[in-house]
Amino acid sequence: ELFLCQHKPFTSKALAITDDVDMTSRLVRVTEFKERMRVRHTDDGHRLAKRVSDLKRLLIAYQNGTLKPMGKGKKKVLMKFSSHLGKNF
């Protein structure tokens, strides 16, 4: 389910902590989903799935000898890519 919440205006700290003041919010159900939304249903989830797929392909290429590490003394770089967090690996 997806809800929108409407909060009443905040007037003062003193009123907020007083027991006799009602600070309730109004909830409105916007929609109901047949299935729970998971990370895989989001844009980030699709990017993560693609990254996992690319890493699996890279691992297979390394395991079957299609891709070989560079010689000794050199930095072993199999593949450069950026994560969804903007970090380079």
Side-chain angles (χ1 to χ4, degrees), residues 34-75:
K34 293 178 185 176
E35 179 182 328
R36 175 178 274 196
M37 184 173 240
R38 302 192 185 279
V39 173
R40 70 173 176 245
H41 300 121
T42 66
D43 291 340
D44 281 343
H46 292 290
R47 282 191 287 272
L48 287 170
K50 169 123 177 54
R51 183 172 170 208
V52 168
S53 173
D54 291 344
L55 288 170
K56 284 181 179 179
R57 288 179 36 230
L58 182 63
L59 177 63
I60 291 168
Y62 183 72
Q63 287 174 336
N64 70 19
T66 304
L67 185 63
K68 297 188 187 301
M70 297 172 85
K72 286 187 176 186
K74 295 182 182 178
K75 187 177 177 183

Side-chain angles (χ1 to χ4, degrees), residues 22-39:
D22 189 14
M23 298 289 291
T24 60
S25 300
R26 183 174 157 226
L27 281 176
V28 178
R29 182 173 27 182
V30 177
T31 188
E32 188 173 327
F33 298 102
K34 293 178 185 176
E35 179 182 328
R36 175 178 274 196
M37 184 173 240
R38 302 192 185 279
V39 173

